[in-house]
Amino acid sequence: MTQAEIKLCSLLLQEHFGEIVEKIGVHLIRTGSQSLRVIAHDTGTSLDQVKKALCVLVQHNLVSYQVHKRGVVEYEAQCSRVLRMLRYPRYIYTTKTLYSDTGELIVEELLLNGKLTMSAVVKKVADRLTETMEDGKTMDYAEVSNTFVRLADTHFVQRCPSVPTTENSDPGPPPPAPTLVINEKDMYLVPKLSLIGKGKRRRSSDEDAAGEPKAKRPKYTTDNKEPIPDDGIYWQANLDRFHQHFRDQAIVSAVANRMDQTSSEIVRTMLRMSEITTSSSAPFTQPLSSNEIFRSLPVGYNISKQVLDQYLTLLADDPLEFVGKSGDSGGGMYVISILTTCHLLSSFLSRFGSRCARIFRLVLQKKHIEQKQVEDFAMIPAKEAKDMLYKMLSENFMSLQEIPKTPDHAPSRTFYLYTVTILSAARMLLHRCYKSIANLIERRQFETKENKRLLEKSQRVEAIIASMQATGAEEAQLQEIEEMITAPERQQLETLKRNVNKLDASEIQVDETIFLLESYIECTMKRQ
Amino acid sequence: MAGNKGRGRAAYTFNIEAVGFSKGEKLPDVVLKPPPLFPDTDYKPVPLKTGEGEEYMLALKQELRETMKRMPYFIETPEERQDIERYSKRYMKVYKEEWIPAGPKPKKAKDAGKGTSLTNTADVLKKMEELEKRGDGEKSDEENEEKEGSKEKSKEGDDDDDDDAAEQEEYDEEEQEEENDYINSYFEDGDDFGADSDDNMDEATY
């Protein structure tokens, strides 16, 4: 884990879980797997707090544990999982677009709590939705459960590994920590039986209470005497599936940009068909026959078979190789590399200027090129070209390839060729992204801290106004209270708000770049 | 030695033309200090994307940040004691549900002989074992309960629970009687809402 990543993890943990958890988490990320006592000793925190922090981290799937021989339990942190926390808004928003508010709240609850039983999720979401609905209406548990089942079917939520049931029969002393197992086919299996029964009962108790205001609902209902039907079955959000979805989205939009809407629809159909059959990191989708595609096209597109075939041929012949014939019918990963290249290019544009981008594209195209040739092909004056080349070289976006003419490698008699390896350039950029997000978060925290006094004041004034309005105050009094915040202060607040929003938005967008770069690096490494 | 050629005139081992400086031209100054902290950029950055989706995500992000702070998972650092107990502090405290997973059970001494480690680690391991042996069910059940402020851990009669349950009950009452926005009747499903909390029932205020 690089320093930049560790810094970012520490900032994220601190923001979401507080300082103690951050200390423990960062320590684990830095030092690899450790046992409980060592952690407590090294970080200087009390055992009690370490345990609490570890519980929180394990609950959120950020730390895993393992039993080593000699009965020692060691904890290990997953740094990449911590970095995913940046992406929570994107996950939730995606679910909203796919499954509307219910789905959105389900995923939000799962992300906020790490692991939850299905009944807990359904209950929470139903309650939240009921609060936003009009008085007297309540959210049906069945509807929430339906959405949950749909999410499970499309693999957006999955079961957590659980304690194996055979452990009870073990005669010897139980191990200090169970090894959790999960059966592959059980991962998306929703406990169906309990669902139906529960739904009815809950609904009735809900309906009873519907007449009275929620606050007066009796604390005691018969339901709670019985144990939860799906005790021990915990669900978590399946982040890989979300990533797959993002990737598909990126591919489809790239196709749409390059060609027209219809071809992007075709590609989208192909991807959707292979959503569940292909694992998330496969380089190609399963081969699909054009008949299948034809049958699965969305209803709105009534294009004939011939037109479809034409489109497919077009896609296949495209130099970017989105779609390949027969053997590999989906060049998913090729597209990712193209997208990565585009990102690299655009980052160049912003940082070094369009000429630099031109040089970069040229070197990319020619694979290996000499300095003199760069000037000629790019049509840029020699001095500038050299300047830019060296700048890029120093930033490690380019590398030099030496080809000696003579065995003694004399510099004056050696060819030096510039070349770009996308992989290393991608890594460089990724590292920069981590640093920039860390900077953004720090700056945001700094800004908020600077204006803390002002923020608190404005919050207090708002609270006063709200309470006065509730008790029915006159307009004049409200005016007076509002004037407690002077105009320049108001302006300061405005600026602060604008800055914080900008910083937040930048974080979200840098995270998109990070996603693309990370998936590219991952699939390239897999292919090698 | 070999570098001193031509009476002080510099000569390079490679063709200086290739690097870009013509013969005799002034070389750039030697850099004597670190580069500036915020160098001027010649080019403005690309503007941020704006759109309905982005705005929604922005609002979500800020909301999530706030919510996380209020969740029981957010463990606050205990403040150091101040010299003077401020009166206003009492009224500014935020009441958060305490999330305690199946935590330490100091009275549980029935160690089934790990043997390989010191007593301390055995104890600690036993606690973790407790935590895990009950399965995540126990832990999260408690988490669910705790979160609502109603602690009932009456699973399979564990005596040691009473200790914790007792402490938590006191805390529980204190929290429930507090005038706050939390709906006291709201609780997690399923868990044995055992006899102990009966006395709380009468005091439930609305």
Side-chain angles (χ1 to χ4, degrees):
Chain A
M1 295 292 115
T2 64
Q3 282 291 64
E5 284 176 17
I6 297 182
K7 178 98 183 22
L8 186 54
C9 289
S10 125
L11 282 170
L12 284 171
L13 283 175
Q14 187 187 7
E15 221 173 27
H16 291 180
F17 297 122
E19 299 218 344
I20 301 184
V21 177
E22 181 245 334
K23 205 174 3 166
I24 311 283
V26 169
H27 178 79
L28 271 177
I29 294 177
R30 263 207 193 105
T31 53
S33 65
Q34 292 205 325
S35 66
L36 190 64
R37 286 195 77 222
V38 182
I39 300 175
H41 179 259
D42 283 345
T43 55
T45 34
S46 69
L47 207 59
D48 195 30
Q49 290 192 324
V50 174
K51 266 187 257 175
K52 255 195 188 169
L54 280 174
C55 286
V56 170
L57 288 169
V58 171
Q59 171 74 10
H60 281 83
N61 306 316
L62 301 171
V63 159
S64 63
Y65 53 84
Q66 246 187 334
V67 189
H68 286 246
K69 39 191 191 327
R70 301 214 298 144
V72 175
V73 181
E74 293 209 335
Y75 298 90
E76 191 170 347
Q78 323 274 354
C79 179
S80 51
R81 181 65 182 78
V82 181
L83 295 173
R84 297 288 158 266
M85 297 213 299
L86 270 175
R87 217 165 280 160
Y88 282 3
R90 200 169 168 197
Y91 297 140
I92 299 176
Y93 178 66
T94 312
T95 327
K96 186 188 170 77
T97 52
L98 292 174
Y99 293 103
S100 86
D101 289 337
T102 325
E104 175 198 1
L105 285 181
I106 291 180
V107 171
E108 189 176 328
E109 287 295 326
L110 279 177
L111 285 173
L112 277 177
N113 290 297
K115 304 184 176 89
L116 278 180
T117 55
M118 179 169 168
S119 33
V121 174
V122 168
K123 191 164 195 312
K124 273 195 220 245
V125 173
D127 289 332
R128 269 179 82 172
L129 282 170
T130 314
E131 276 170 41
T132 59
M133 289 162 93
E134 305 130 21
D135 293 323
K137 285 174 70 172
T138 52
M139 188 66 187
D140 208 359
Y141 275 47
E143 197 178 320
V144 183
S145 321
N146 277 341
T147 321
F148 193 95
V149 172
R150 275 163 63 203
L151 279 170
D153 283 337
T154 45
H155 294 204
F156 278 107
V157 301
Q158 70 185 33
R159 272 213 223 177
C160 307
S162 52
V163 183
T165 46
T166 55
E167 207 180 326
N168 296 330
S169 55
D170 196 301
T179 21
L180 304 176
V181 293
I182 178 79
N183 205 342
E184 189 66 35
K185 52 183 172 62
D186 282 342
M187 233 194 301
Y188 305 105
L189 206 61
V190 180
K192 286 252 162 53
L193 263 58
S194 50
L195 179 67
I196 301 172
K198 208 159 34 88
K200 284 210 192 105
R201 253 180 296 146
R202 283 295 149 79
R203 215 172 342 146
S204 59
S205 77
D206 245 1
E207 274 167 17
D208 288 344
E212 322 152 38
K214 261 192 100 200
K216 293 223 169 63
R217 184 152 49 105
K219 210 167 181 173
Y220 229 85
T221 58
T222 50
D223 294 339
N224 301 308
K225 285 232 172 81
E226 302 158 28
I228 329 177
D230 58 349
D231 187 16
I233 304 178
Y234 288 89
W235 295 82
Q236 62 187 3
N238 184 5
L239 299 187
D240 282 332
R241 178 70 184 85
F242 278 106
H243 294 163
Q244 202 183 359
H245 183 85
F246 294 154
R247 209 174 44 214
D248 295 345
Q249 262 183 335
I251 294 179
V252 168
S253 66
V255 175
N257 280 338
R258 184 142 174 104
M259 296 184 226
D260 71 347
Q261 185 71 4
T262 321
S263 43
S264 80
E265 279 301 319
I266 297 179
V267 175
R268 196 204 303 267
T269 320
M270 283 171 60
L271 287 169
R272 198 177 297 150
M273 280 165 60
S274 38
E275 241 167 31
I276 305 189
T277 54
T278 321
S279 79
S280 60
S281 48
F284 306 110
T285 59
Q286 300 296 324
L288 303 161
S289 74
S290 61
N291 281 323
E292 287 175 6
I293 302 177
F294 187 62
R295 263 179 277 139
S296 345
L297 273 178
V299 186
Y301 283 86
N302 34 354
I303 54 177
S304 68
K305 185 89 171 24
Q306 286 166 314
V307 180
L308 173 70
D309 281 337
Q310 279 179 347
Y311 265 113
L312 282 174
T313 331
L314 201 63
L315 281 168
D317 290 337
D318 190 279
L320 289 182
E321 294 180 48
F322 293 124
V323 176
K325 266 292 184 59
S326 66
D328 27 61
S329 69
M333 287 312 137
Y334 280 142
V335 185
I336 295 292
S337 77
I338 305 302
L339 290 170
T340 316
T341 325
C342 298
H343 261 272
L344 286 171
L345 273 174
S346 59
S347 74
F348 264 67
L349 262 171
S350 55
R351 209 173 309 122
F352 297 126
S354 56
R355 291 196 169 165
C356 234
R358 213 192 308 169
I359 297 182
F360 187 75
R361 206 180 286 147
L362 177 67
V363 178
L364 196 61
Q365 204 181 349
K366 298 271 184 190
K367 303 278 192 300
H368 293 271
I369 187 168
E370 244 189 9
Q371 189 176 308
K372 199 105 190 14
Q373 291 172 324
V374 168
E375 297 161 19
D376 294 336
F377 279 119
M379 294 181 282
I380 294 178
K383 248 220 159 87
E384 275 185 41
K386 278 171 192 143
D387 192 28
M388 288 177 192
L389 274 174
Y390 293 145
K391 220 192 302 182
M392 285 195 272
L393 192 62
S394 70
E395 310 258 348
N396 280 334
F397 285 110
M398 296 232 202
S399 47
L400 274 180
Q401 172 76 34
E402 295 178 6
I403 303 186
K405 288 191 226 178
T406 57
D408 64 353
H409 288 251
S412 55
R413 290 188 289 274
T414 320
F415 285 120
Y416 290 99
L417 298 175
Y418 287 93
T419 177
V420 172
T421 33
I422 302 198
L423 189 60
S424 57
R427 273 201 235 254
M428 262 300 301
L429 200 59
L430 189 61
H431 188 246
R432 274 188 118 113
C433 284
Y434 287 141
K435 264 204 232 170
S436 48
I437 288 206
N439 288 345
L440 284 168
I441 297 183
E442 282 229 35
R443 178 73 198 183
R444 179 168 42 83
Q445 287 179 345
F446 171 75
E447 293 262 338
T448 325
K449 200 157 42 160
E450 281 263 302
N451 296 300
K452 198 161 104 143
R453 189 197 71 88
L454 193 56
L455 276 171
E456 278 175 8
K457 180 173 174 190
S458 81
Q459 272 171 3
R460 250 181 297 141
V461 167
E462 275 173 30
I464 296 177
I465 292 185
S467 66
M468 286 183 69
Q469 272 177 342
T471 58
E474 311 150 357
E475 189 60 39
Q477 282 179 314
L478 287 175
Q479 281 274 26
E480 210 178 294
I481 304 278
E482 275 194 23
E483 276 166 22
M484 271 171 59
I485 306 186
T486 62
E489 280 181 344
R490 227 178 265 277
Q491 199 142 23
Q492 212 177 338
L493 272 175
E494 267 297 315
T495 327
L496 172 69
K497 194 161 172 149
R498 209 182 31 236
N499 288 346
V500 168
N501 281 350
K502 246 199 215 157
L503 290 168
D504 265 331
S506 324
E507 275 177 47
I508 296 180
Q509 289 192 13
V510 177
D511 177 62
E512 282 182 27
T513 314
I514 286 186
F515 168 69
L516 206 57
L517 291 170
E518 270 180 359
S519 31
Y520 172 73
I521 291 180
E522 193 187 311
C523 76
T524 320
M525 299 303 290
K526 281 222 170 68
R527 246 194 300 173
Q528 280 171 4
Chain B
M1 264 182 31
N4 195 13
K5 235 178 135 178
R7 270 163 225 92
R9 263 243 303 251
Y12 303 101
T13 54
F14 57 95
N15 185 8
I16 193 65
E17 298 264 325
V19 186
F21 300 106
S22 56
K23 215 156 169 118
E25 197 181 304
K26 197 162 86 104
L27 294 167
D29 294 326
V30 181
V31 178
L32 287 169
K33 53 187 179 174
L37 201 53
F38 293 108
D40 296 324
T41 47
D42 298 320
Y43 308 97
K44 280 189 69 137
V46 181
L48 291 172
K49 277 195 278 191
T50 43
E52 192 195 312
E54 273 77 30
E55 282 172 22
Y56 190 82
M57 279 202 271
L58 184 65
L60 253 181
K61 190 176 210 295
Q62 292 175 338
E63 232 179 76
L64 275 177
R65 237 201 329 263
E66 290 306 308
T67 321
M68 289 259 192
K69 289 214 165 64
R70 287 197 298 263
M71 298 231 96
Y73 304 113
F74 193 97
I75 304 178
E76 273 146 10
T77 42
E79 288 174 15
E80 67 258 16
R81 322 228 46 204
Q82 299 200 313
D83 302 323
I84 312 167
E85 178 90 17
R86 308 245 166 221
Y87 182 76
S88 58
K89 263 204 147 46
R90 237 193 291 165
Y91 293 91
M92 290 204 297
K93 270 197 280 192
V94 178
Y95 275 94
K96 235 175 18 173
E97 304 98 355
E98 177 110 356
W99 178 67
I100 305 176
K105 310 268 187 292
K107 278 181 17 183
K108 192 109 188 180
K110 305 174 209 124
D111 191 358
K114 293 272 170 338
T116 55
S117 26
L118 316 162
T119 36
N120 277 355
T121 26
D123 201 23
V124 163
L125 287 175
K126 196 72 178 119
K127 291 170 196 168
M128 296 315 292
E129 173 206 336
E130 260 331 288
L131 169 73
E132 307 300 350
K133 186 160 77 158
R134 311 238 189 106
D136 298 285
E138 166 81 17
K139 176 168 88 166
S140 282
D141 281 346
E142 287 165 5
E143 161 222 349
N144 291 341
E145 293 168 333
E146 256 86 312
K147 269 205 282 207
E148 303 320 303
S150 52
K151 279 86 166 147
E152 237 358 82
K153 290 191 287 187
S154 54
K155 286 259 186 205
E156 268 80 67
D158 212 5
D159 304 342
D160 301 339
D161 274 341
D162 293 343
D163 279 6
D164 286 20
E167 319 168 352
Q168 282 151 17
E169 260 189 42
E170 292 158 20
Y171 179 74
D172 189 8
E173 282 179 38
E174 193 182 290
E175 185 179 342
Q176 279 178 351
E177 287 169 12
E178 192 71 19
E179 178 82 322
N180 55 20
D181 289 341
Y182 297 108
I183 301 171
N184 283 333
S185 61
Y186 177 64
F187 58 99
E188 272 321 302
D189 74 286
D191 297 303
D192 306 61
F193 215 60
D196 284 349
S197 55
D198 271 344
D199 24 297
N200 287 349
M201 276 310 302
D202 306 331
E203 299 169 20
T205 52
Y206 295 101

Coordinates of all heavy atoms in Angstrom, one line a residue, chain A residues 324-357:
Chain A
G324 N -16.0 -8.6 -31.3 CA -15.2 -9.4 -32.2 C -16.1 -10.5 -32.7 O -17.1 -10.9 -32.1
K325 N -15.7 -11.1 -33.8 CA -16.6 -12.1 -34.5 C -16.4 -13.4 -33.7 O -15.4 -13.7 -33.1 CB -16.1 -12.3 -35.9 CG -17.0 -11.5 -36.9 CD -18.4 -12.0 -37.0 CE -19.2 -11.2 -38.0 NZ -18.7 -11.4 -39.4
S326 N -17.3 -14.2 -33.9 CA -17.4 -15.6 -33.4 C -16.7 -15.9 -32.0 O -17.3 -15.7 -31.0 CB -16.8 -16.6 -34.4 OG -15.4 -16.3 -34.6
G327 N -15.4 -16.1 -32.0 CA -14.8 -16.6 -30.8 C -15.0 -15.7 -29.6 O -15.5 -16.1 -28.6
D328 N -14.7 -14.4 -29.8 CA -15.0 -13.5 -28.6 C -16.0 -12.5 -29.1 O -15.7 -11.7 -29.9 CB -13.7 -12.9 -28.2 CG -12.7 -12.8 -29.3 OD1 -13.0 -12.2 -30.3 OD2 -11.6 -13.4 -29.2
S329 N -17.1 -12.6 -28.5 CA -18.1 -11.7 -29.0 C -18.3 -10.5 -28.1 O -19.3 -9.8 -28.1 CB -19.5 -12.4 -29.0 OG -19.9 -12.7 -27.7
G330 N -17.4 -10.1 -27.3 CA -17.5 -8.9 -26.6 C -16.1 -8.4 -26.2 O -15.5 -9.1 -25.4
G331 N -15.6 -7.4 -26.7 CA -14.3 -7.0 -26.4 C -14.3 -6.1 -25.2 O -13.8 -4.9 -25.3
G332 N -14.8 -6.5 -24.1 CA -15.0 -5.6 -23.0 C -13.7 -4.9 -22.6 O -13.7 -3.7 -22.4
M333 N -12.7 -5.7 -22.5 CA -11.5 -5.1 -21.9 C -10.7 -4.2 -22.8 O -10.0 -3.4 -22.4 CB -10.6 -6.2 -21.4 CG -11.1 -6.8 -20.1 SD -11.6 -5.6 -18.9 CE -13.2 -6.2 -18.4
Y334 N -10.9 -4.5 -24.1 CA -10.3 -3.6 -25.1 C -10.8 -2.2 -24.9 O -10.1 -1.2 -24.9 CB -10.5 -4.0 -26.5 CG -9.7 -5.2 -26.9 CD1 -10.2 -6.2 -27.7 CD2 -8.3 -5.2 -26.6 CE1 -9.4 -7.2 -28.1 CE2 -7.5 -6.3 -27.0 CZ -8.1 -7.3 -27.8 OH -7.3 -8.3 -28.2
V335 N -12.1 -2.2 -24.7 CA -12.7 -0.9 -24.5 C -12.2 -0.2 -23.3 O -12.0 1.0 -23.3 CB -14.2 -1.0 -24.4 CG1 -14.9 0.3 -24.4 CG2 -14.7 -1.8 -25.6
I336 N -12.0 -0.9 -22.3 CA -11.4 -0.3 -21.1 C -10.1 0.3 -21.3 O -9.8 1.4 -20.9 CB -11.3 -1.4 -19.9 CG1 -12.7 -1.8 -19.6 CG2 -10.6 -0.7 -18.7 CD1 -13.6 -0.8 -18.9
S337 N -9.3 -0.4 -22.1 CA -8.0 0.2 -22.3 C -8.1 1.5 -23.2 O -7.4 2.5 -23.0 CB -7.1 -0.8 -23.0 OG -7.4 -0.9 -24.4
I338 N -9.1 1.5 -24.1 CA -9.3 2.7 -24.9 C -9.7 3.8 -24.0 O -9.2 4.9 -24.1 CB -10.4 2.5 -25.9 CG1 -10.0 1.3 -26.8 CG2 -10.6 3.7 -26.8 CD1 -8.7 1.4 -27.5
L339 N -10.6 3.5 -23.1 CA -11.1 4.5 -22.2 C -10.0 5.0 -21.3 O -10.0 6.2 -21.0 CB -12.3 3.9 -21.3 CG -13.6 3.6 -22.1 CD1 -14.5 2.8 -21.2 CD2 -14.2 4.9 -22.5
T340 N -9.2 4.1 -20.9 CA -8.0 4.6 -20.1 C -7.2 5.6 -20.8 O -6.8 6.6 -20.3 CB -7.2 3.4 -19.6 OG1 -8.0 2.3 -19.2 CG2 -6.2 3.8 -18.5
T341 N -6.9 5.2 -22.1 CA -6.1 6.1 -22.9 C -6.7 7.4 -23.0 O -6.1 8.5 -22.9 CB -5.9 5.5 -24.3 OG1 -5.9 4.1 -24.2 CG2 -4.7 6.1 -24.9
C342 N -8.0 7.4 -23.2 CA -8.7 8.7 -23.3 C -8.6 9.5 -22.0 O -8.4 10.7 -22.1 CB -10.2 8.5 -23.5 SG -10.5 7.7 -25.1
H343 N -8.6 8.8 -20.9 CA -8.5 9.6 -19.6 C -7.1 10.1 -19.5 O -7.0 11.3 -19.1 CB -8.8 8.6 -18.5 CG -10.2 8.8 -18.0 ND1 -10.5 9.7 -17.0 CD2 -11.3 8.2 -18.3 CE1 -11.8 9.6 -16.8 NE2 -12.3 8.7 -17.6
L344 N -6.1 9.3 -19.8 CA -4.8 9.8 -19.7 C -4.6 11.1 -20.6 O -4.0 12.1 -20.2 CB -3.8 8.7 -20.2 CG -3.6 7.6 -19.2 CD1 -2.8 6.5 -19.9 CD2 -2.9 8.1 -18.0
L345 N -5.2 10.9 -21.8 CA -5.1 12.1 -22.7 C -5.7 13.3 -22.1 O -5.1 14.4 -22.2 CB -5.8 11.7 -24.0 CG -4.9 11.0 -25.0 CD1 -5.8 10.6 -26.2 CD2 -3.8 11.9 -25.5
S346 N -6.9 13.1 -21.6 CA -7.6 14.3 -21.1 C -6.9 14.9 -19.9 O -6.8 16.1 -19.7 CB -9.0 14.0 -20.7 OG -9.0 13.0 -19.8
S347 N -6.2 14.1 -19.1 CA -5.5 14.6 -18.0 C -4.3 15.4 -18.5 O -3.9 16.5 -18.0 CB -5.0 13.5 -17.1 OG -4.0 12.8 -17.6
F348 N -3.7 14.9 -19.6 CA -2.6 15.7 -20.2 C -3.1 17.0 -20.7 O -2.4 18.0 -20.5 CB -2.1 14.9 -21.4 CG -0.9 14.1 -20.9 CD1 -1.1 13.0 -20.1 CD2 0.4 14.4 -21.4 CE1 0.0 12.3 -19.7 CE2 1.4 13.6 -21.0 CZ 1.3 12.6 -20.1
L349 N -4.2 17.0 -21.3 CA -4.7 18.2 -21.9 C -4.9 19.3 -20.8 O -4.5 20.4 -21.0 CB -6.1 18.0 -22.5 CG -6.2 17.8 -23.9 CD1 -7.6 17.3 -24.3 CD2 -5.8 19.0 -24.6
S350 N -5.3 18.8 -19.7 CA -5.6 19.8 -18.6 C -4.3 20.3 -18.0 O -4.2 21.4 -17.6 CB -6.5 19.2 -17.6 OG -6.0 18.0 -17.1
R351 N -3.4 19.4 -17.9 CA -2.2 19.8 -17.1 C -1.1 20.3 -18.0 O -0.4 21.3 -17.6 CB -1.6 18.6 -16.3 CG -0.9 19.1 -15.1 CD -0.6 17.9 -14.2 NE -1.7 17.0 -13.9 CZ -1.7 15.7 -14.2 NH1 -0.7 15.2 -14.8 NH2 -2.7 15.0 -14.0
F352 N -0.9 19.8 -19.2 CA 0.3 20.2 -19.9 C -0.1 21.0 -21.2 O 0.8 21.5 -21.9 CB 1.1 19.0 -20.3 CG 1.7 18.3 -19.1 CD1 1.5 17.0 -19.0 CD2 2.4 19.0 -18.2 CE1 2.0 16.3 -17.9 CE2 2.9 18.3 -17.1 CZ 2.7 17.0 -16.9
G353 N -1.3 20.9 -21.5 CA -1.7 21.6 -22.8 C -1.9 20.7 -23.9 O -1.5 19.5 -23.9
S354 N -2.5 21.2 -24.9 CA -2.9 20.4 -26.0 C -1.7 19.9 -26.8 O -1.8 18.8 -27.4 CB -3.9 21.2 -27.0 OG -3.2 22.3 -27.4
R355 N -0.6 20.6 -26.8 CA 0.5 20.1 -27.6 C 1.1 18.9 -27.0 O 1.5 18.0 -27.7 CB 1.5 21.2 -27.7 CG 1.1 22.4 -28.5 CD 2.2 23.2 -28.8 NE 1.8 24.2 -29.8 CZ 2.5 25.3 -30.1 NH1 3.7 25.5 -29.5 NH2 2.2 26.1 -31.0
C356 N 1.1 18.9 -25.7 CA 1.6 17.8 -25.0 C 0.8 16.6 -25.4 O 1.3 15.5 -25.6 CB 1.6 18.0 -23.5 SG 3.2 17.8 -22.8
A357 N -0.5 16.8 -25.4 CA -1.4 15.7 -25.7 C -1.2 15.2 -27.1 O -1.2 14.0 -27.3 CB -2.9 16.2 -25.5

